[in-house]
Amino acid sequence: MLLLHGPNLNLLGAREPEVYGTETLADHIATASAAAGECGLTVEARQSNHEGELLEAIHGARGRCAAIVVNPGAFTHYAWSLHDALAAFDGPVVEVHLSNPNAREPWRHTSVVAPVATGTIAGFGGLGYRLAIEAVATCLGADRAENETVARPDR
Ligand code: DQA
């Protein structure tokens, strides 16, 4: 699965720690990878400050990655191109935010990603990544069970 981070998230740990905590991006990737390992999933992590690179990462996940966990940073609030790229991805998409954007400035209350996400986890700091992986694993497990029922209707 793809774990994707948007702009400024490379600065986690040093950037506004009172809002985003003291854990670094590497710490969050380690948390997600450990949680994924427990569920039999592997994590491919990408971060970019450039919208086009995030789009290419999403395109590259098509047909290759089972799911996407994405913290789009400030792109969350206006990058419709991310909305469209995620809409073209076939699999669970979990939107994660360390802070709770809905409890912050009004411009953070809109997410253009939320309408194409399977679900959103916000406000739980680094725990959000573990919760996101559990959500992905549950979605993928449910999918697998459904396919098996279809493939073997006698069971
Ligand atoms: C964020 C919330 C966004 O509003 C902000 O622009 C970020 C981080 C979060 O994880 O809380 O860069 O996505």
Side-chain angles (χ1 to χ4, degrees), residues 7 9 15 20 71 73-74 77 97-99 101 104 108:
L9 297 173
R15 171 194 181 208
Y20 300 116
N71 182 344
H77 313 299
H97 299 286
L98 293 158
S99 67
R104 300 178 64 195
R108 293 187 203 270

Side-chain angles (χ1 to χ4, degrees), residues 45-61:
R46 297 275 305 273
Q47 185 276 332
S48 179
N49 295 319
H50 303 277
E51 190 173 336
E53 285 182 8
L54 296 172
L55 298 179
E56 277 159 17
I58 296 167
H59 297 172

Side-chain angles (χ1 to χ4, degrees), residues 13-104:
R15 171 194 181 208
E16 299 179 81
E18 66 289 357
V19 178
Y20 300 116
T22 52
E23 287 175 291
T24 64
L25 180 58
D27 293 332
H28 295 307
I29 292 170
T31 299
S33 300
E38 288 165 25
C39 305
L41 296 167
T42 53
V43 167
E44 180 181 313
R46 297 275 305 273
Q47 185 276 332
S48 179
N49 295 319
H50 303 277
E51 190 173 336
E53 285 182 8
L54 296 172
L55 298 179
E56 277 159 17
I58 296 167
H59 297 172
R62 281 161 49 83
R64 205 173 54 78
C65 297
I68 299 179
V69 172
V70 57
N71 182 344
F75 285 157
T76 304
H77 313 299
Y78 64 93
W80 286 103
S81 57
L82 281 185
H83 168 286
D84 287 354
L86 290 168
F89 176 77
D90 191 18
V93 173
V94 181
E95 176 188 2
V96 174
H97 299 286
L98 293 158
S99 67
N100 178 1
N102 285 312
R104 300 178 64 195

